[in-house]
Amino acid sequence: MRVTMTSAPARAGHADEDFTGAIPTAAVLIDGAGISGTESICRHGVAWYASRLGGNLLSLLSLVRDRSLSALLAEAIEQVTDDHRDTCDVADPISPSATVAILRLSEGLIEHLVLGDSVLVLDRADGAPLVVSDPREVIISRSYRSALEAASEGSDEYHRVLRELRANRNQPGGFWLAKDDPRAADEAITGSCPISELTDAVLLSNGASRIVDRFRLADWPGVMAVLASSGPAEIIHRVRQAEARHAVAADDATIAHCTDLGEA
């Protein structure tokens, strides 16, 4: 499998809180999440959490071939939590967390996992792309949207509402992310598909998937066509142009495009 990766921070001088990496049989994308005040809870920060979780996952995917993706994610969450349990308040609602997307080649199958609002797209040789996403955070966020829009970004009220939203994380009836509880991995969206049915696949953080789900600049077949012709950097370039045009705050944007799927 060949993987072409591109990641761009939201702005110059800003730490990229996304992570992506690959081994010959798997690709991982992590989108770290945190709000103002996180640094007082965790001295390591969101970028550290994302990269440590992603690195642990890649190691497990390389060494352990006979366990489910959910089980490997649960172990990786437990490992990174243990790494900073003694120095940071890992259970605090605003301690670092992350969304996760994983793709793995396994005995003629492509296995996939999505936890949180990252997106994974499997391009099928005969038919429309299969889009794998977890809509729970988006659905729950809608009820907080008006309050967030009414408050000044960065204000005490804005952070109060954001904390209320984040309190729905990893709760029954809420939405699920990688954080401090490995049981969140059981809530991931998982599945598999014969490799023979696919041409390529892509993992996107929500800062990159907004080319479709926010700005409507393309549909998923169109995105796959751009990836094939121009690569992931072109997708992020178009997102940045749309953010500037619509005065939308930029987000870290990361893409891992997987081709030559039949070659381990």
Side-chain angles (χ1 to χ4, degrees), residues 167-215:
N168 290 282
R169 290 187 305 182
N170 296 359
Q171 299 290 332
F175 58 92
W176 298 83
L177 300 172
K179 190 175 173 290
D180 61 300
D181 187 350
R183 291 174 296 182
D186 294 333
E187 299 292 332
I189 309 299
T190 61
S192 63
C193 184
I195 294 175
S196 59
E197 296 181 3
L198 306 176
T199 57
D200 58 334
V202 64
L203 295 70
L204 308 97
S205 67
N206 69 340
S209 68
R210 56 174 50 178
I211 190 171
V212 172
D213 53 42
R214 180 160 189 170
F215 296 124

Side-chain angles (χ1 to χ4, degrees), residues 154-165:
S155 67
D156 290 345
E157 176 63 12
Y158 183 88
H159 286 130
R160 184 192 66 78
V161 176
L162 201 55
R163 279 176 175 268
E164 286 188 8
L165 169 59

Side-chain angles (χ1 to χ4, degrees), residues 66-142:
D66 59 349
R67 295 175 64 194
S68 70
L69 295 182
S70 296
L72 295 182
L73 175 57
E75 184 169 344
I77 292 171
E78 187 166 18
Q79 288 175 347
V80 71
T81 302
D82 287 344
D83 285 344
H84 70 144
R85 189 188 305 277
D86 293 337
T87 57
C88 309
D89 188 355
V90 297
D92 190 283
I94 66 168
S95 68
S97 61
T99 72
V100 181
I102 309 172
L103 179 145
R104 177 172 68 178
L105 281 63
S106 178
E107 298 181 350
L109 294 175
I110 287 285
E111 299 175 317
H112 59 265
L113 176 150
V114 172
L115 181 67
D117 61 3
S118 291
V119 177
L120 190 150
V121 183
L122 303 172
D123 203 11
R124 293 182 281 200
D126 185 16
L130 174 62
V131 181
V132 184
S133 62
D134 181 352
R136 286 171 289 190
E137 182 174 2
V138 173
I139 292 170
I140 289 171
S141 296
R142 287 174 186 157

Side-chain angles (χ1 to χ4, degrees), residues 11 18 25 38 56 58 65 104 118 130 142 171 173 182 207 259:
R11 58 187 181 276
D18 289 352
T25 56
T38 297
N56 289 350
L58 287 173
R65 305 293 182 92
R104 177 172 68 178
S118 291
L130 174 62
R142 287 174 186 157
Q171 299 290 332
T259 57

